[in-house]
Structures are given as C-alpha cells and as structure tokens.
Amino acid sequence: MANESFTLIVVPDRHSEVRRLRLRRAWVIQALVGCSVLALVAVALVVHYGSVVSEAQENPALRDENLKLKSEIAVIREQLAHVQGTLDRVERFDQKLRAITLLSDPQRNLAMGPTEAAPAAGSADNQFVRSSGQESPATLAAKLDKLSAEATRQEQSLQELQAYFAGQKSLLASVPSVWPTRGWVTSDFGSRVDPYTSERVMHAGIDIAGPHGKEIIAPSDGTVVFSGLEGGYGNVIVIDHGYGIKTRYGHLASLRVKAGERVKRGDLIAAMGNTGRSTGPHLHYEVRVNGIAQNPRKFILDD
C-alpha cells in the first residue's frame, strides 16, 4: 500500500508531448491533510478577526456610555449636596422660628426660649451626600430616600409653625428678629476677658463695632422705658417689647427717643458712639427674657 501511487497525465496542445507525473499515495494524503489544516486555520483566523473587529466597534460605545453614566452620577451627587444644603438652612431657620416663640407648648413641641442650634452642615448626620467616592445607583437611591424622609419631616415642622404663628402676629412684631445695626461683631455673647480688668467675666450681649454716629434702629415694636446715662454703659436706651422681652443699647453717641415713646421695627432710636467704659465706637446690644440675658443671635432671622 505504501508503494501505491497515482499517475497524473498532462495533455498539452496537440503539438506537444503527453506528460505523466507519478504521485505517491502518501504524498497525496499528506497534501490533503495539510490543505485541510490550513483551511481550518484560515477559518479560525477569519472568525477571530471578526470577533476582534466587533469588540473594537463595541469598546468606544461602551466607553462613551460609561463616561455618560459617570457624568450623570456626578450631577446627581451635586444635586443631592445642594438639596442637603437647603435642608440644613431650613433646619436652622426652623430652630430660630421655634426659638422666637418663647412659649412652651407640649402638644406642638414648641420650644421655651432659644433652642440648641441645628446640626452643622458638616456634621456626621449630614455627610451622606458629601462622599467623594463613586456611588453606585443603589447608594444614590438610598440617599434620595433619606433626603425625601428629611424633607417630609421639615415640611411637617414648618406647617406646624405656620399654624401656630397664624394667631401670633402681635408676638412676632415684638420679637427682636433683625439686627439693630450692621457692623463687625467684636465681642459675642458669653464668657470673655474684660478689656479693662483682664478678668474672665460674663458678657450679657454682643458688641457691634462701626463708625461713630452710625444709625441704630429698633429691631421690633415696643415702648421705650429708659433713655439716659447708666454708669459704664454710657448713654443707654431700654425698650420693652412685651411678652417679657426687653432690649438694651449701650455706649450711644446720641439718643433719638425718650422714655414712654412707642417705636416700630426699623424706627431710628440712636446713633452709635463711644460713651461709658468703651474702647472704641460700638453698640452693646442685649436681649433679656423675663430678666434673663439671652444670646441676641438666636432671635435674629436675617443672617
């Protein structure tokens, strides 16, 4: 069998001699096998090439889609941060509104006097929208759910306050909710070092510095109960706003109202000065509720 062969007869045109080619059987089989292998390799290469071309076409589309998704997630993250910032401001405003009610109402949970400040924007409870990582859609959905619950709570709280304030117009007009003057707060409410004795003492108000003669206005409606000199405070005005609320203004350059006069919020009452124990032109401003000094900032709404 190994010696079997094939004879290939080649017949050219009629003027040429016939040629015979003897091909061994083994050679033919080897050639056929080789051709089959080459054909299979060619088919595999074609299939592989087609796959590579397909992937090459899909990759740019996938990259574009991935970039688009990342951009959308970044926008959502910024929107979440903005919404949380708004809720933080609403929370602080809510606390101030509750503070200026000066009433105790267990049914509505309204506060007596100034309450604790709302959580700061950077507190742990408010950090869930400020992560710098790449959040997944599930994480963003959880954050949106939490924001929705917080917004619902704030809405209920403000509706509660709105219902309460509807019948409290007189009280609102009496609350010192605006700045009596604008300037630099050089000394805040609380314990401080006395500039004359260098001893730590309680500062019952806030000091607002400004140019000599700067106008001082009434922060709410009331009646002037004192207008004159008062020891280290120099020229002083005291206004009784009702509901146990009184405000005091010290170190004044001039007094524009007299005891017994009624004033409205925004009325001019004095000019900033440097009278009494004072290191420079400024207003010493106090708010007292039932005789107890309170931090004036907790009543001021126009921060």
Side-chain angles (χ1 to χ4, degrees), residues 38-60:
L38 290 175
L40 289 174
V41 170
V43 170
L45 289 174
V46 170
V47 172
H48 177 69
Y49 177 77
S51 175
V52 169
V53 170
S54 178
E55 290 180 359
Q57 292 175 344
E58 291 179 359
N59 282 341

Side-chain angles (χ1 to χ4, degrees), residues 51-89:
S51 175
V52 169
V53 170
S54 178
E55 290 180 359
Q57 292 175 344
E58 291 179 359
N59 282 341
L62 290 174
R63 282 196 299 270
D64 292 343
E65 183 177 357
N66 190 36
L67 289 174
K68 182 179 179 181
L69 288 174
K70 286 182 178 179
S71 177
E72 291 176 351
I73 289 175
V75 171
I76 293 174
R77 190 184 304 116
E78 290 178 0
Q79 291 174 343
L80 285 172
H82 176 73
V83 171
Q84 182 61 56
T86 301
L87 286 176
D88 289 342
R89 290 191 295 273

Side-chain angles (χ1 to χ4, degrees), residues 97-113:
L97 287 177
R98 290 179 180 277
I100 66 175
T101 62
L102 304 173
L103 297 174
S104 178
D105 187 343
Q107 292 182 346
R108 289 191 175 91
N109 196 30
L110 295 175
M112 169 68 82

